[in-house]
Amino acid sequence: MITLRPASERGTANFGWLDSKHSFSFGSYYDPEHMGFSALRVINDDSVDPGAGFATHGHRDMEIISYVLQGSIAHKDSEGNVEVLPAGEFQLMSAGSGITHSEYNASKTEPLRFLQIWIQPNTLGNTPGYQQKNFGKAIGLTPIATPTGENDTLHIKQNATLSQLILAPHSELTYTIAAGRRVYVHQVAGELIVESQRLAAGDGAKITERQTITFKNELDDQSTSLLFDLP
């Protein structure tokens, strides 16, 4: 089964300095039909004004991934990590037993846009941690976060895998889904055809009860997606 989550139907929040679109219920946006998908709890598409950002606040027992689409993030946390996250990089902050952090637009003149992703861990009270890496833009499926951290991927505390899917123009890729697993696709840029369903930027798709799924790019430009393989 393939269920679309159109970008136009996402929840929204605008605080002046922040314009956010929510794929799942978050903050003041509540929709019982969209509370998350398996362990995937949040995908927020956040646009932040120059110099603005999220002041110091706390989290616990959540795997928080940021993927910068435009601009750069200035990050600081209670574990002593002070980093800048430029466009194209992924950050994984494991909140574990408790962590505080701030995230600001590192530029005073340029906008920031990033995806904020929350995945529930499969164990609680873990030691907080921070990871950051650029995985490049290779064609095909590139693992980003894995349960083991193998091959220099980000080590996520959940039996879930996040991959970057980049398809060249007029190409396709077939993905095998293990028994009992579910897949969520979030379209980042370009267009993706999931079997007969067409995804544009910001669209998502829940995929269940399938053994394989074929992704196609029929356009003249590259297609970029995030693929979540979930329990």
Side-chain angles (χ1 to χ4, degrees):
M1 180 182 296
I2 302 171
T3 305
L4 290 187
R5 176 57 163 146
S8 60
E9 296 180 8
R10 292 178 294 181
T12 59
N14 193 310
F15 299 96
W17 61 272
L18 169 68
D19 184 12
S20 186
K21 299 175 177 62
H22 308 324
S23 294
F24 305 111
S25 294
F26 185 87
S28 61
Y29 167 63
Y30 173 74
D31 184 340
E33 297 298 318
H34 299 285
M35 296 300 295
F37 184 65
S38 180
L40 178 60
R41 182 62 187 84
V42 169
I43 300 180
N44 290 349
D45 189 335
D46 290 341
S47 295
V48 182
D49 283 352
F54 302 88
T56 301
H57 59 285
H59 298 280
R60 66 181 301 132
D61 294 324
M62 192 65 69
E63 302 291 284
I64 301 173
I65 298 170
S66 296
Y67 175 41
V68 182
L69 304 178
Q70 178 185 6
S72 56
I73 294 174
H75 169 94
K76 185 176 182 179
D77 65 46
S78 55
E79 293 295 300
N81 299 294
V82 180
E83 304 288 347
V84 173
L85 189 72
E89 292 203 0
F90 289 84
Q91 172 199 87
L92 171 55
M93 187 180 72
S94 298
S97 58
I99 194 170
T100 60
H101 74 129
S102 62
E103 306 283 342
Y104 279 86
N105 185 340
S107 173
K108 301 297 184 183
T109 58
E110 301 297 324
L112 163 67
R113 181 172 169 235
F114 71 104
L115 297 180
Q116 179 185 173
I117 299 159
W118 293 11
I119 296 176
Q120 294 173 320
N122 54 10
T123 57
L124 303 180
N126 299 301
T127 300
Y130 180 90
Q131 304 164 71
Q132 176 180 334
K133 186 175 179 180
N134 189 322
F135 290 85
K137 296 291 183 181
I139 300 296
L141 197 66
T142 301
I144 303 298
T146 64
T148 60
E150 60 193 15
N151 300 320
D152 293 323
T153 55
L154 306 179
H155 185 187
I156 190 170
K157 296 177 175 65
Q158 176 56 267
N159 184 20
T161 299
L162 166 62
S163 300
Q164 176 180 261
L165 174 61
I166 299 181
L167 292 182
H170 306 285
S171 67
E172 65 179 60
L173 179 145
T174 297
Y175 185 77
T176 300
I177 304 172
R181 303 286 293 182
R182 290 170 278 186
V183 167
Y184 189 89
V185 177
H186 179 84
Q187 188 63 11
V188 176
E191 184 179 274
L192 185 72
I193 296 176
V194 183
E195 300 295 342
S196 61
Q197 307 280 5
R198 193 175 299 268
L199 273 63
D203 291 342
K206 302 174 183 179
I207 302 168
T208 59
E209 302 174 350
R210 296 290 299 258
Q211 294 180 327
T212 62
I213 192 81
T214 298
F215 304 107
K216 295 181 181 180
N217 177 16
E218 295 183 343
L219 300 184
D220 295 333
D221 298 316
Q222 281 189 359
S223 169
T224 302
S225 318
L226 295 181
L227 187 151
F228 301 83
D229 191 313
L230 302 160

